[in-house]
């Protein structure tokens, strides 16, 4: 115990000297080096701590410091905002020590690191799916965790990112209109699939108005023989939209679509 205290004090002293740090990198006194790495971490010098820990992880593998060294290395990367490497390190930890002291928090931190590393909705979302999978596995493994609410919140935010990407795709199809084909159909299919996959999304109204607009545009641009059927389809969509979003910010546009559609079908049941 006394020896460990002395080593820790010496490690703390060494932090004040850059030259001493360079000599420390070459040191073969691994216990001393490890305590110095922890001291650097405590002072927020994560890069130096990570450099030392990278040299030590394999050396300490068969010791009582093995678990902590890998976990601490993951924290160093995380605090440097190198989230990809942090996630990989945390995954290495819980894969190597599934019943370890830091297993639960390492699994959570892996999901959190991947969550923070996800790109904006317009970009490829492969990492978003990976983050969702990691957080899902965490909740499966630790269903009663004190971090459950935070994990679920991150998952919901990731799902919203995926929905946003689908919305942007549906909006692009709508904006393309009849350019090189009927892109309104693609807009409808993309938006409907997003609603099926994520029925509780915050983008629900935005996706729904795209569907209504697209059906109306399809009806307007149809050949005479199909206009009646397609305007009826737009009218059905109007009723569904109005029922779900009675105070929608799009209500003026929605009522205009309905008014124009019933003029085209000209049938008694819509006259009131």
């Amino acid at each position: 115990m006394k020896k460990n205290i002395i080593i820790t004090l010496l490690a703390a002293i060494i932090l004040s000297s850059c030259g001493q740090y360079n000599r420390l990198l070459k040191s073969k006194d691994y216990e001393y080096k490890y305590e110095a790495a922890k001291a650097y971490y405590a002072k927020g010098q994560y890069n130096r701590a990570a450099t030392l820990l990278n040299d030590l992880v394999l050396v300490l593998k068969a010791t009582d410091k093995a678990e902590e060294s890998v976990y601490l290395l993951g924290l160093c990367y995380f605090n440097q905002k190198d989230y990809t490497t942090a996630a990989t390190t945390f995954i290495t930890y819980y894969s190597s020590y599934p019943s370890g002291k830091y297993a639960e928090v390492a699994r959570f931190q892996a999901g959190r690191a991947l969550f923070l590393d996800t790109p904006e909705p317009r970009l490829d979302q492969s990492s978003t799916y990976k983050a969702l999978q990691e957080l899902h596995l965490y909740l499966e493994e630790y269903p009663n965790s004190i971090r459950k609410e935070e994990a679920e919140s991150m998952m919901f935010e990731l799902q919203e990112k995926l929905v946003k990407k689908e919305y942007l795709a549906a909006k692009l199809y709508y904006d393309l209109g009849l350019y090189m084909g009927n892109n309104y159909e693609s807009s409808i299919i993309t938006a409907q699939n997003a609603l099926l996959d994520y029925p509780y999304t915050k983008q629900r109204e935005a996706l729904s108005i795209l569907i209504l607009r697209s059906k109306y545009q399809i009806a307007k641009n149809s050949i005479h023989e199909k206009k009646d059927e397609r305007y009826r389809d737009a009218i059905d969509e109007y009723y569904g939209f109005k029922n779900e979003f009675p105070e929608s910010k799009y209500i003026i546009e929605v009522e205009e679509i309905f008014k124009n559609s019933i003029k085209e079908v000209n049938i008694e049941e819509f006259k009131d």
Side-chain angles (χ1 to χ4, degrees), residues 10-158:
L10 287 171
I13 292 168
I14 205 171
L15 303 188
S16 62
S17 170
C18 183
Q20 288 287 353
Y21 171 72
N22 291 330
R23 285 192 287 275
L24 182 63
L25 290 173
K26 301 173 185 176
S27 174
K28 299 298 181 183
D29 187 341
Y30 299 121
E31 190 172 354
Y32 179 33
K33 204 170 182 177
Y34 182 60
E35 292 301 323
K38 292 202 293 183
Y40 278 122
Y41 178 83
K43 285 178 70 72
Q45 296 183 28
Y46 305 119
N47 185 52
R48 286 189 170 189
T51 301
L52 293 174
L53 288 167
N54 264 313
D55 289 342
L56 292 168
V57 165
L58 288 177
V59 175
L60 298 173
K61 194 168 184 179
T63 72
D64 60 350
K65 296 178 175 63
E67 281 191 44
E68 187 182 55
S69 65
V70 179
Y71 177 67
L72 191 60
L73 180 59
L75 289 177
C76 286
Y77 288 129
F78 187 90
N79 287 317
Q80 290 181 89
K81 298 185 178 180
D82 182 355
Y83 297 124
T84 300
T85 311
T88 300
T89 307
F90 287 128
I91 291 169
T92 296
Y93 173 87
Y94 73 69
S95 298
S96 302
Y97 309 103
S99 301
K101 180 180 177 181
Y102 308 103
E104 179 183 343
V105 68
R107 186 147 218 163
F108 175 79
Q109 286 291 84
R112 187 171 170 222
L114 290 169
F115 165 78
L116 291 169
D117 199 43
T118 55
E120 62 169 304
R122 293 179 187 277
L123 301 177
D124 177 70
Q125 294 299 305
S126 298
S127 58
T128 301
Y129 286 108
K130 188 175 180 182
L132 274 169
Q133 181 184 35
E134 192 64 38
L135 289 165
H136 176 72
L137 290 171
Y138 169 75
L139 289 174
E140 271 195 345
E141 187 76 18
Y142 305 101
N144 300 314
S145 170
I146 58 171
R147 301 174 184 85
K148 178 180 178 180
E149 189 173 327
E150 187 177 354
E152 288 176 337
S153 177
M154 285 190 286
M155 289 182 72
F156 186 74
E157 192 171 331
L158 291 169

Side-chain angles (χ1 to χ4, degrees), residues 136-194:
H136 176 72
L137 290 171
Y138 169 75
L139 289 174
E140 271 195 345
E141 187 76 18
Y142 305 101
N144 300 314
S145 170
I146 58 171
R147 301 174 184 85
K148 178 180 178 180
E149 189 173 327
E150 187 177 354
E152 288 176 337
S153 177
M154 285 190 286
M155 289 182 72
F156 186 74
E157 192 171 331
L158 291 169
Q159 288 171 347
E160 284 299 307
K161 189 172 285 191
L162 294 176
V163 177
K164 181 68 174 178
K165 185 173 180 65
E166 293 304 299
Y167 167 77
L168 291 172
K171 179 69 165 54
L172 177 61
Y173 283 129
Y174 179 83
D175 291 341
L176 287 171
L178 298 175
Y179 178 71
M180 296 182 71
N182 188 346
N183 293 291
Y184 297 122
E185 288 284 3
S186 298
S187 180
I188 292 168
I189 292 168
T190 303
Q192 286 177 335
N193 286 340

Side-chain angles (χ1 to χ4, degrees), residues 194-217:
L195 289 172
L196 283 172
D197 291 338
Y198 307 102
Y200 304 110
T201 176
K202 292 184 288 186
Q203 300 286 331
R204 188 170 182 86
E205 184 177 359
L207 289 163
S208 297
I209 190 65
L210 273 181
I211 294 170
L212 176 56
R213 287 171 179 163
S214 295
K215 288 190 174 183
Y216 176 62
Q217 290 299 327

Side-chain angles (χ1 to χ4, degrees), residues 255-272:
E255 293 295 351
E256 188 69 17
I257 287 173
F258 177 67
K259 183 176 73 174
N260 292 338
S261 296
I262 57 172
K263 284 179 183 176
E264 295 295 330
V265 295
N266 192 29
I267 50 179
E268 290 294 327
E269 64 253 42
F270 295 122
K271 284 189 174 179
D272 291 336

